[in-house]
Structure formats: structure tokens, C-alpha cells
Amino acid sequence: QVQLEESGGGLVQAGGSLRLSCAASGGSFSTYAMGWFRQAPGKEREFVATIWSGGSTRYANSVKGRFTISRLNAQNTVYLQMSSLKPEDTAVYYCAGDRRGWATSSDHNYDYWGQGTQVTVSS
């Protein structure tokens, strides 16, 4: 069974940076597409970024140019580097894995999910 564990969340001032990590155990990490989603209070979960097994990346328009997703297969870890953070980035951030190796922005396609890590951006 694949398990995903996020870390790196916290409180940061607007304009600051954070790096989230998601460590995977079990399964074949290098063959999965990995994604980041977020959910703010009272809102639906939304797509943030995805990186396919071959390294292709996709971003939500709201984070393009500010966030960077990357992966280190040797350590079964995917990262989300977040810069120029805004208060509207405040949310619980979730890591997800898709066994197909490629993924869209739809959370329905992902097979595995972490428990989430809180990111709070103060103004």
C-alpha cells in the first residue's frame, strides 16, 4: 500500500517562501505522476501542480510563475517550492499520486493521498 506524508507547512508572511515535501513509501514512486492540491476553508479542493513520471509539469494559473513542483525519485519525494506567497494561498496542501504516470488537474484521477499540511500566509 502506498503511503504519502507531507511536511514543510507553516506560517509565513505574504511575499515569503515555503517548500513542501511529500515522502512516499510502498509502490513504485518513479512510475507515478505526483500532484499537489489544496483546500481552503469553505472551498472545494483545487489543483495546484502535477509532475508526470517523465518529468512534465502542469500548474494552475493561480500559481504559475510562483510555485515549482519537482521530484527526486531516488528519495521517493516530491516537492513544491512556493514563492511570493499571498494570503489567498492559505490552505491545507495535499500530495497525491496517480498510478498511470500522467495526470490531469482532476483529483478524481489520483489513487493515493496524503493527510495534508497546513500553509498559512499572513498579510
Side-chain angles (χ1 to χ4, degrees):
Q1 182 69 14
V2 175
Q3 292 187 323
L4 303 177
E5 184 173 2
E6 303 94 337
S7 61
L11 174 64
V12 64
Q13 288 189 330
S17 299
L18 277 177
R19 188 178 79 158
L20 305 183
S21 300
C22 172
S25 59
S28 301
F29 176 82
S30 64
T31 67
Y32 301 156
M34 299 300 297
W36 287 96
F37 288 77
R38 66 187 182 186
Q39 187 167 20
K43 296 187 177 181
E44 293 192 355
R45 187 164 57 190
E46 65 174 3
F47 168 76
V48 175
T50 186
I51 183 166
W52 294 1
S53 60
S56 298
T57 58
R58 303 287 187 273
Y59 296 92
N61 288 335
S62 59
V63 307
K64 202 172 293 183
R66 301 188 298 122
F67 292 10
T68 302
I69 189 171
S70 61
R71 64 191 300 161
L72 188 56
N73 290 335
Q75 295 187 1
N76 290 352
T77 302
V78 61
Y79 303 97
L80 185 69
Q81 178 67 48
M82 305 185 293
S83 303
S84 301
L85 284 161
K86 305 174 182 180
E88 50 264 44
D89 294 318
T90 295
V92 176
Y93 282 71
Y94 297 92
C95 171
D98 187 319
R99 289 177 297 183
R100 301 171 300 170
W102 61 275
T104 68
S105 59
S106 172
D107 59 359
H108 297 299
N109 295 325
Y110 288 80
D111 304 292
Y112 311 113
W113 291 87
Q115 293 299 308
T117 186
Q118 177 71 47
V119 172
T120 303
V121 184
S122 63
S123 58

